[in-house]
Structures are given as structure tokens and as C-alpha cells.
């Protein structure tokens, strides 16, 4: 994630992520789960614009209205202290003992509660953007510590376009794949709360090993990546939201090298061999949109 100077302040583009692999290794005494997950940032972006302000208030403007047609079953986003952007700005300010305010304009394109970690990415963008706007000069490891306080996925977005993440997800080992991936993101009209999915989950006795998928990504072997796609949370999400099982069955005939639900859902992705295949698959989703199984479709590329 990079920030760009403008005549008024700074702009940061915050990408969505998908999980190509997600296994739950066990439940921890603090109530969180230990994960092994492979995350990839993709080219669906929220945009954050940061400006200095003369008073000490953090002002967040949301653009456009977060309700989009077909998204009526998703939670609404607040511009106040519940918003991860607001919380990241306030945490950073308190961490360095600063009382400056700022204006932040957030253009939201990543759907909420969709397993795409839009909120975490926005929080990471805020740490990076304000670190520069306020000339704080904090290093990556200090920002990583703040990121982990804000949420398990936030640290990933600070430095990587793809990474193997462990712990709650906050221990990030960046990967260096060489071949870009093309995906179709298929977003149903409803969201799922991450906490709800983890509460309903039964921890596996024999965790699946993700090292094969990790190697396939480094080798750029698209067929092997397709075979290695795995998400432990998928069956639990389908039990909580049966429309997701129907979506899985309908996506299976769409082509591509594989399909998977991202994170705790509800977005599915179809992994494709090239952009043409991805655009063809996206066009074949019209019927699912008419049946209201799908509300948004995005053809995206990995950010590497
Ligand atoms: P994950 O894959 O990390 O579980 P998700 O994609 O399912 O995340 P998000 O959309 O990132 O979920 O956020 C989940 C919840 O966080 C939202 O329902 C919303 O209430 C809250 N939230 C707070 N700030 C934001 C933000 N800036 N963008 C999105 N959600 C936010």
C-alpha cells in the first residue's frame, strides 16, 4: 500500500484481500483461534483521502452512501468511533501523544462483512496515511504492533501483497509470487459476521497442510493453486447461510481452475487462468444476479 501526495493532502488506496487457504489450528485461551492462512491483496480498492485540520477532531466522511442496490442485508457503516478508520487514527494519535485532528474521506467500494477485510485494509491505510501526513516517522514494526491491536488482518495490509499469516493472522510472512492471479469476486447480497462463524466452528482434529498451495503460488502453477484452494470456515458459513451452499453448486459449472469462499464469507471467488477467462466467467453470472443469489461481481487481479 502506497500513499500519494496531492495538493491538499494524501491519498491511499486500500485493497481487498482473498484467502487462498485458511485452516484453523486450534482455539486459544484468549478466545481467538490460531490460523494458518495465505492471503492475497486484490485490485478492488477503497480510497482514503487525508487532510490536516486546524482543530483536534477526527472527521470521517463516507462516500458514497454505503447502501447499494442489493446490499440491503449488510450492516451499515458508521462514520464515528465504531469505524476502524476512526479507531486507527485515534490509536495512532494516542500512541505518539499528539492532539492534532484530521479530515478523512473514505470512498467505500469493498462490500462489508464479505470476507474481503475491507475494514482492516482501511485501518492499515489510515496508519500509513496519517504516519506520513502527521510526519510521525514510525517504522513498520511499530505500525505492525498498532495494527495487531486494531484487528487480526490489519498487519497483513501494511507491507504485503501476498503473505502466509499465522497466530490470529497478525504474524505475517510475506511471499514473493511472480505470476499474477486473475479472479472473479462473487458477492452475495448478505454479509456474515466473522465472530458468528468462529463461534459456530468445530476446530478440526487433523488440520490440513497448506505448504503445497504456498509452493504452488511461488511456482506460479495455476492448476496446483486451484487444486490446493481450501477454507475451513466454508462449511460452517454454509450451515449459517444456506444460500452460500447453493451459490457453491452454481459456481462449480462456471469454469476457472477452482472456486472458494474467502475468509469467513460471504464472498466467493473463481480463480481463472487469464483475464479473458475471468471476464467470460463474470458474464455467465447474470442469471445468478437475476435470481438475487449474487449482488456484485468484480473481475480483479492480484496486487502482485
Ligand atoms: P474479515 O475478512 O477480516 O473477517 P470482513 O470482510 O468480513 O472482514 P469487514 O467488512 O472488513 O468484514 O468488517 C466487518 C465489520 O467491521 C463491518 O460489519 C463493520 O461493522 C465494521 N467496520 C468498522 N469500520 C469499517 C470499515 N471502515 N469498513 C468496513 N467495515 C468496518
Amino acid at each position: 500500500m502506497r500513499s500519494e501526495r496531492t495538493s491538499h493532502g494524501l491519498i491511499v488506496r486500500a485493497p481487498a484481500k482473498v484467502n487462498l487457504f485458511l485452516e484453523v489450528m486450534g482455539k486459544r485461551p484468549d478466545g481467538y483461534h490460531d490460523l494458518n492462512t495465505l492471503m492475497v491483496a486484490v485490485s478492488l480498492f477503497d480510497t482514503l483521502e487525508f487532510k490536516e485540520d486546524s482543530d483536534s477532531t477526527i472527521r470521517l466522511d463516507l462516500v458514497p452512501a454505503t447502501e447499494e442496490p442489493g446490499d440491503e442485508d449488510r450492516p451499515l457503516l458508521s462514520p464515528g468511533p465504531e469505524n476502524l478508520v476512526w479507531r486507527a487514527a485515534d490509536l495512532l494519535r494516542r500512541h505518539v501523544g499528539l492532539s492534532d485532528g484530521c479530515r478523512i474521506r473514505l470512498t467505500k467500494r469493498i462490500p462489508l462483512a464479505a470476507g474481503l477485510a475491507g475494514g482492516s485494509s482501511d485501518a492499515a491505510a489510515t496508519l500509513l496515511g496519517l504516519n506520513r501526513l502527521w510526519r510521525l516517522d514510525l517504522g513498520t514494526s511499530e505500525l505492525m504492533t498498532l495494527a495487531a491491536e486494531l484487528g487480526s488482518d490489519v498487519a497483513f495490509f501494511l507491507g504485503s501483497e501476498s503473505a502466509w499469516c499465522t497466530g490470529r493472522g497478525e504474524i505475517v510472512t510475506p511471499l514473493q509470487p511472480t505470476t499474477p492471479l486473475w479472479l472473479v469476486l462473487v458477492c452475495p447480497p448478505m454479509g456474515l459476521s466473522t465472530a458468528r462463524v468462529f463461534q459456530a466452528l468445530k476446530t478440526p482434529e487433523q488440520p490440513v497442510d497448506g505448504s503445497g498451495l504456498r509452493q504452488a503460488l511461488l511456482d506460479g502453477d495455476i492448476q496446483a493453486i486451484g487444486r490446493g484452494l481450501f477454507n475451513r470456515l466454508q462449511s460452517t458459513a454454509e450451515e449459517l447461510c444456506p444460500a452460500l451452499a447453493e451459490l457453491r453448486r452454481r459456481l462449480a459449472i462456471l469454469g476457472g481452475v477452482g472456486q472458494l469462499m474467502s475468509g469467513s464469507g460471504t464472498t466467493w471467488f473463481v480463480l481463472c487462468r487469464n483475464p479473458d477467462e475471468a471476464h467470460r466467467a463474470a458474464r455467465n453470472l447474470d442469471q445468478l444476479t437475476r435470481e438475487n443469489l449474487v449482488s456484485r461481481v468484480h473481475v480483479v487481479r492480484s496486487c502482485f
Side-chain angles (χ1 to χ4, degrees):
M1 228 186 261
R2 257 178 250 115
S3 58
E4 259 172 60
R5 282 252 173 229
T6 65
S7 49
H8 297 106
L10 271 180
I11 293 195
V12 183
R13 292 201 307 162
K17 62 85 179 145
V18 295
N19 305 75
L20 301 184
F21 178 89
L22 194 165
E23 178 57 297
V24 178
M25 306 305 286
K27 192 160 182 188
R28 312 174 357 159
D30 63 6
Y32 287 101
H33 290 81
D34 272 319
L35 307 179
N36 277 356
T37 184
L38 200 161
M39 303 219 266
V40 169
V42 296
S43 61
L44 171 65
F45 298 97
D46 289 344
T47 309
L48 294 96
E49 297 171 68
F50 301 92
K51 284 184 203 161
E52 280 171 293
D53 206 359
S54 49
D55 73 22
S56 59
T57 315
I58 297 166
R59 280 181 230 280
L60 174 61
D61 299 315
L62 296 179
V63 193
T66 49
E67 305 105 294
E68 294 212 352
D71 274 354
E72 63 278 356
D73 295 333
R74 288 189 188 279
L76 295 179
L77 193 55
S78 145
E82 303 81 38
N83 198 297
L84 278 161
V85 169
W86 197 99
R87 285 175 43 208
D90 191 50
L91 179 67
L92 185 62
R93 197 164 78 148
R94 281 188 286 115
H95 179 74
V96 294
L98 195 80
S99 57
D100 294 27
C102 59
R103 281 202 93 103
I104 308 173
R105 200 175 135 95
L106 167 61
T107 306
K108 201 71 203 151
R109 299 185 192 87
I110 306 172
L112 299 191
L116 299 174
S120 302
S121 188
D122 293 346
T126 304
L127 293 177
L128 288 173
L130 291 179
N131 187 35
R132 188 160 172 208
L133 188 83
W134 286 336
R135 297 170 194 84
L136 303 177
D137 223 14
L138 301 190
T140 307
S141 69
E142 205 167 351
L143 292 176
M144 286 271 192
T145 307
L146 296 178
E149 276 186 53
L150 291 162
S152 308
D153 289 345
V154 181
F156 163 73
F157 290 104
L158 284 177
S160 343
E161 287 155 350
S162 74
W164 181 254
C165 302
T166 56
R168 288 186 286 130
E170 86 289 11
I171 304 171
V172 180
T173 307
L175 301 173
Q176 247 94 47
T178 46
T179 316
L181 300 180
W182 287 91
L183 307 120
V184 186
L185 302 184
V186 184
C187 309
M190 64 291 184
L192 255 184
S193 135
T194 304
R196 227 182 122 207
V197 176
F198 275 102
Q199 268 156 22
L201 177 82
K202 282 187 210 71
T203 315
E205 281 170 20
Q206 287 257 290
V208 170
D209 175 22
S211 53
L213 178 93
R214 190 172 155 169
Q215 191 56 49
L217 184 73
L218 294 176
D219 296 343
D221 182 344
I222 188 82
Q223 298 291 350
I225 299 172
R227 284 194 301 276
L229 296 175
F230 176 78
N231 185 346
R232 174 64 62 189
L233 304 179
Q234 184 178 310
S235 52
T236 306
E238 287 180 8
E239 279 160 29
L240 294 172
C241 184
L244 290 176
E246 171 65 5
L247 186 58
R248 168 170 52 76
R249 287 189 285 272
R250 302 286 291 274
L251 290 180
I253 52 168
L254 207 69
V257 291
Q259 301 89 15
L260 192 71
M261 188 186 83
S262 182
S264 54
T266 52
T267 299
W268 277 73
F269 63 85
V270 181
L271 177 64
C272 297
R273 290 171 192 83
N274 52 53
D276 286 349
E277 188 176 54
H279 285 287
R280 245 189 338 268
R283 281 195 296 276
N284 287 336
L285 286 163
D286 285 355
Q287 178 59 27
L288 298 190
T289 308
R290 280 195 289 276
E291 290 176 36
N292 207 27
L293 268 173
V294 170
S295 65
R296 299 199 220 175
V297 175
H298 299 278
V299 172
V300 296
R301 209 196 104 144
S302 57
C303 291
F304 50 79

